[in-house]
């Protein structure tokens, strides 16, 4: 078979909370173990990329979209058979989202984002959605996005999802990263990889980011009122670091909400474009109490000259080094040396894209401070994030009297 297409499939348990109450956590985990074992034992050429609390990610290669769709339906049948074979007292539901495209025409990030969009649509479309990224009607038109963006910002079509960041040592969520999504009235959920570039090109990136800042502050106040007073990190486009008007407006918003704990994530390449303005404006943010994190470290041309000048407190290792951490000879050396360098510069280190317990264990040994990825949680809308944080609090209370090694095992299994 010619393997010219790359495929990403997400399998989610939408009734996870109900199933956990009815079956108990350990039995539910056992059911998902059975599903994973049956799928990996079947001759489907599917690889398990990651497994979270309610989500399993698979990938594969196929000859065309038809073969990918056949793979998806075969997977659905296998999962249903696995669930039926267990004779459970209450059913576990599964829904599926798939994205597939020709290998030269779509990058892995676009593929995963499209699969996430598919899984979110699956609840309203029979539990299964498959997106063909080679079709014009399923590829986002940048000109259309540039035209629609001003209306979308003012009409409330934007929303924020939040991905937890967990302290490896303390084994608890210590902050969340805000990730913007666009719920387009005709195209459905659009991910930032499709519209951030359009916002930058059309001059809408400043109003879009200011909306994100205001909405993030409002959401953080809701979380704090519910007992989850966590720092909130926002992504800042490199174009904005040279925009004095944006920096002034952002600082004004921040000053009006001194009770809110915020962080900005910026990339090195953003600094390299205009180092003098970027470093000056970043220092203004730091003076206003904003924690600065260097995002996607290692993905571009990492510069020690700029790194030592930035008033940053956190360095995020790009997921390209983390996802292959246990299967590569070079990546562990790069990650370990980066952690040591950051610690020498008095910065905390976050590893993005943590998807397996093996990667987490290795990062822990290396001294990584924080982890983020599907092993912990996918990005969640605010209500789902509140539920997740409540569960973590209850788990912490349950484990408080157990020995530390049992707390650790239970936490990471639960996450």
């Amino acid at each position: 078979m010619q393997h010219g297409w790359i495929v990403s499939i997400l399998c989610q348990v939408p009734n996870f909370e109900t199933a956990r109450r009815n079956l108990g956590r350990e039995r539910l985990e056992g059911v998902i173990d059975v599903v994973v074992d049956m799928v990996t034992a079947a001759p489907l050429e599917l690889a398990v990329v990651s497994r979270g609390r309610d989500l399993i990610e698979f990938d594969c290669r196929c000859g065309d979209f038809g073969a990918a769709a056949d793979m998806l339906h075969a997977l659905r049948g296998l999962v249903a058979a696995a669930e039926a074979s267990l004779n459970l007292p209450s059913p576990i539901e599964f829904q599926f989202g798939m994205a597939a495209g020709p290998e030269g025409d779509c990058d892995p990030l676009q593929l995963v984002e499209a699969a996430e969009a598919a899984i979110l649509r699956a609840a309203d479309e029979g539990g299964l959605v498959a997106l063909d990224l080679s079709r014009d009607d399923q590829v986002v038109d940048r000109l259309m996005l540039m035209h629609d963006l001003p209306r979308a910002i003012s009409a409330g079509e934007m929303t924020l999802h939040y991905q937890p960041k967990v302290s490896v040592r303390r084994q608890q969520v210590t902050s969340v990263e805000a990730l913007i999504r666009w719920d387009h009235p005709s195209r459905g959920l659009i991910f930032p990889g499709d519209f951030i570039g359009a916002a930058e090109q059309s001059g809408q990136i400043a109003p879009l980011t200011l909306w994100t800042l205001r909405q993030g502050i409002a959401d953080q106040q809701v979380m704090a009122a519910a007992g989850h007073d966590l720092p909130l990190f926002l992504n800042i486009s490199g174009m904005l670091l040279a925009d004095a008007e944006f920096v002034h407006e952002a600082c004004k918003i921040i000053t009006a909400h001194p009770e809110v704990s915020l962080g900005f994530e910026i990339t090195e390449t953003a600094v390299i474009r205009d180092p003098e303005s970027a470093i000056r404006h970043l220092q203004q943010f730091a003076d206003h109490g904003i924690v600065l994190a260097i995002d996607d470290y290692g993905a571009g041309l990492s510069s020690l000259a700029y790194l030592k000048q930035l008033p940053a407190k956190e360095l995020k290792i790009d997921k390209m080094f983390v996802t292959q951490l246990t299967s590569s000879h070079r990546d562990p050396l790069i990650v370990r040396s980066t952690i040591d360098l950051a610690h020498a510069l008095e910065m905390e280190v976050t590893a993005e894209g943590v998807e397996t317990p093996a990667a987490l264990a290795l990062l822990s040994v290396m001294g990584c401070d924080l982890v983020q990825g599907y092993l912990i949680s996918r990005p969640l809308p605010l209500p789902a994030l509140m539920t997740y944080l409540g569960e973590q609090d209850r788990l912490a209370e349950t484990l408080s009297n157990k020995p530390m090694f049992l707390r650790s095992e239970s936490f990471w299994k639960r996450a």
Side-chain angles (χ1 to χ4, degrees), residues 2 17 53 255 343 375:
Q2 181 182 1
E17 304 305 331
R53 57 194 288 271
T255 302
H343 287 168
L375 180 66

Side-chain angles (χ1 to χ4, degrees), residues 34-46:
V34 169
V35 168
V36 170
D37 291 343
M38 286 188 67
V39 172
T40 53
L44 288 182
E45 300 184 14
L46 276 172

Side-chain angles (χ1 to χ4, degrees), residues 238-244 247 270-271 273-285 310:
M239 293 184 64
L240 296 176
L241 293 184
D243 186 340
V247 173
V271 178
R273 290 176 184 173
D274 185 354
E276 185 177 344
S277 295
I279 293 172
R280 183 175 68 253
H281 289 151
L282 288 172
Q283 188 60 58
Q284 282 186 245
F285 288 140
L310 301 180

Side-chain angles (χ1 to χ4, degrees), residues 127-336:
L128 185 146
V129 171
L131 299 181
D132 178 353
L133 299 188
S134 71
R135 287 174 48 184
D136 290 340
D137 64 338
Q138 294 187 355
V139 177
V140 177
D141 179 3
R142 176 167 289 196
L143 290 176
M144 179 275 294
L145 296 182
M146 291 169 64
H147 177 270
D148 288 354
L149 261 169
R151 185 211 71 243
I153 297 170
S154 61
E157 294 175 12
M158 299 297 174
T159 186
L160 293 180
H161 287 194
Y162 296 94
Q163 188 167 34
K165 290 160 54 172
V166 168
S167 166
V168 176
R169 180 177 59 83
R170 294 161 58 189
Q171 297 168 24
Q172 67 183 52
V173 178
T174 55
S175 62
V176 294
E177 179 184 356
L179 300 164
I180 193 167
R181 304 289 188 255
W182 181 357
D183 189 9
H184 194 279
S186 61
R187 291 184 176 262
L189 194 67
I190 303 176
F191 281 78
D194 290 316
F195 68 83
I196 291 299
E200 292 176 333
Q201 190 175 349
S202 64
Q204 291 296 311
I205 191 64
L208 180 64
T209 305
L210 291 173
W211 176 89
T212 302
L213 177 58
R214 294 186 180 98
Q215 186 61 49
I217 289 173
D219 286 351
Q220 190 185 49
Q221 290 171 332
V222 172
M223 287 190 289
H228 308 298
D229 193 4
L230 296 171
L232 172 68
F233 282 80
L234 308 173
N235 291 280
I236 303 297
S237 167
M239 293 184 64
L240 296 176
L241 293 184
D243 186 340
E245 184 178 346
F246 165 80
V247 173
H248 173 75
E249 185 63 26
C251 288
K252 187 165 70 172
I253 295 170
I254 293 162
T255 302
H257 298 279
E259 77 285 358
V260 175
S261 179
L262 294 170
F264 288 168
E265 297 190 3
I266 52 98
T267 61
E268 296 168 282
T269 51
V271 178
I272 294 171
R273 290 176 184 173
D274 185 354
E276 185 177 344
S277 295
I279 293 172
R280 183 175 68 253
H281 289 151
L282 288 172
Q283 188 60 58
Q284 282 186 245
F285 288 140
D287 292 343
H288 279 75
I290 299 297
V291 177
L292 299 176
I294 300 172
D295 199 12
D296 300 334
Y297 185 80
L301 298 175
S302 304
S303 171
L304 298 180
Y306 293 124
L307 186 62
K308 71 176 184 179
Q309 297 180 60
L310 301 180
K313 298 296 185 182
E314 180 183 333
L315 186 147
K316 299 186 73 174
I317 300 174
D318 188 78
K319 65 178 65 177
M320 66 182 288
F321 299 106
V322 177
T323 53
Q324 302 296 321
L325 194 59
T326 57
S327 59
S328 164
H329 295 295
R330 292 187 175 185
D331 287 355
L333 298 175
I334 294 170
V335 170
R336 179 58 184 265

Side-chain angles (χ1 to χ4, degrees), residues 350-361:
T350 298
E352 298 184 279
V354 179
E355 298 179 343
T356 66
L360 172 63

